[in-house]
């Protein structure tokens, strides 16, 4: 009996194994709660990205096509596009290059119903402007404008395939691009 009293006194009246067990259970519960919160936040973000008008476009796409220059000549190009939709907004980039030609198009767009608006920039030529158009479900027709530059841009998405068609009124006459995920 003396042995048991000395043991309890050394442990502050509590059995040490129980104290350690209680802390371990608490830590596991905290870790589980944290994991559930992170999973819920990730699922919420993914659900938001997958529910807006740009959802079919989400992800990274690659492919190729042709660019049409002002003299009517064409060059084959390779392209990579990245679309990051979140609900009614989307950040996107499209980079295309051939042996002699390259463009880096970036845009930030917003959808209000079927109306699309936003801003764009082309890094290699240091130009930027606005865009306006219509569409939904991954299919859009927009007009991009800047000082001295106008172009029509059509994006059509069907499953893991996408076509991008651009027509412009400058030295860059247009492009026809086919992308896939």
């Amino acid at each position: 009996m003396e042995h048991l009293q000395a043991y309890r006194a050394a442990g502050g009246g509590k059995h040490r194994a129980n104290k350690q067990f209680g802390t371990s259970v608490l830590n596991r519960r905290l870790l589980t709660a944290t994991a559930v919160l992170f999973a819920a936040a990730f699922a919420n973000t993914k659900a938001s990205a997958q529910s807006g008008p740009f959802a079919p476009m989400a992800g990274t796409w690659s492919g190729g096509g042709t660019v049409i220059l002002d003299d009517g000549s064409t060059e084959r190009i390779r392209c990579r596009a990245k679309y990051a939709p979140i609900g009614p907004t989307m950040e996107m980039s499209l980079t295309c290059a051939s042996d002699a030609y390259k463009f880096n198009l970036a845009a930030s767009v917003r959808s209000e119903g079927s109306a699309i608006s936003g801003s764009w920039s082309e890094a290699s030529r240091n130009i930027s402007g606005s865009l306006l158009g219509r569409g939904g479900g991954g299919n859009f027709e927009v007009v991009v404008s800047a000082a001295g530059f106008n172009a029509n841009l059509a994006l059509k998405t069907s499953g893991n395939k996408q076509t991008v068609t651009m027509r412009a009124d400058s030295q860059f006459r247009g492009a026809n691009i086919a992308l896939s995920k």
Side-chain angles (χ1 to χ4, degrees), residues 63-67 76-81 93-98 101-105 122 124-125 164 166 172 175-177 179:
T66 56
V67 64
R76 298 193 72 54
I77 54 174
R78 297 291 305 154
C79 300
R80 177 175 220 90
S93 65
L94 175 66
T95 301
C96 295
S98 70
Y101 195 83
K102 181 175 183 176
F103 63 89
N104 297 303
L105 180 66
E122 201 289 316
S124 62
R125 285 160 191 77
V164 180
M166 289 184 259
F172 168 77
N176 298 308
I177 304 163
L179 304 169

Side-chain angles (χ1 to χ4, degrees), residues 16-77:
R16 285 187 185 188
N18 287 342
K19 186 174 180 182
Q20 203 172 22
F21 179 75
T23 303
S24 176
V25 169
L26 181 61
N27 285 341
R28 267 189 278 153
R29 285 183 182 164
L30 284 172
L31 285 173
T32 301
T34 303
V36 168
L37 285 173
F38 276 119
F42 177 74
N44 217 6
T45 300
K46 192 168 184 172
S48 294
Q50 298 304 320
S51 64
F54 304 109
M57 300 166 67
T60 301
W61 300 68
S62 61
T66 56
V67 64
I68 305 162
L69 302 175
D70 63 342
D71 65 0
S73 65
T74 61
E75 289 186 31
R76 298 193 72 54
I77 54 174

